[in-house]
Amino acid sequence: MITLTSKELDLLKEIKFEQNEQGHSDFTQENVGTRSRAGILGSLVQKGLVYNSYDGYEDEDINLWCLTYEGADIVGIPDSWD
């Protein structure tokens, strides 16, 4: 079982509402903003709950943070996945 802090859960929910389809999100590095939020996001990545769908695209300098299925199990599937 994965344990989350309240801040991790809040950020996970925020990412859910910014995800507009599977594998694409409007939650970018611009939504992170502070070191604190970057740390929380890093923790969610380490726990396997979110991922950067643009990871590996060398010609793209953007991060699109999306829920994994494990993340969706915690906060629910985004409406856009229906």
Side-chain angles (χ1 to χ4, degrees), residues 31-62:
N31 297 87
V32 178
T34 65
R35 285 185 181 199
S36 175
R37 282 173 64 91
I40 296 165
L41 180 63
S43 178
L44 293 174
V45 170
Q46 283 184 329
K47 292 178 179 183
L49 303 176
V50 298
Y51 70 100
N52 174 13
S53 67
Y54 268 41
D55 191 27
Y57 288 92
E58 294 177 14
D59 57 339
E60 296 289 338
D61 189 26
I62 190 168

Side-chain angles (χ1 to χ4, degrees), residues 7-21:
K7 289 182 179 183
E8 287 172 330
L9 184 58
D10 288 346
L11 190 59
L12 196 62
K13 289 176 183 177
E14 189 176 333
I15 292 168
K16 171 190 174 179
F17 290 115
E18 292 291 333
Q19 191 160 350
N20 47 30
E21 63 184 71

Side-chain angles (χ1 to χ4, degrees), residues 55-81:
D55 191 27
Y57 288 92
E58 294 177 14
D59 57 339
E60 296 289 338
D61 189 26
I62 190 168
N63 298 312
L64 300 178
W65 300 103
C66 297
L67 296 178
T68 63
Y69 287 110
E70 292 81 5
D73 283 346
I74 293 171
V75 293
I77 294 176
D79 292 337
S80 60
W81 288 15

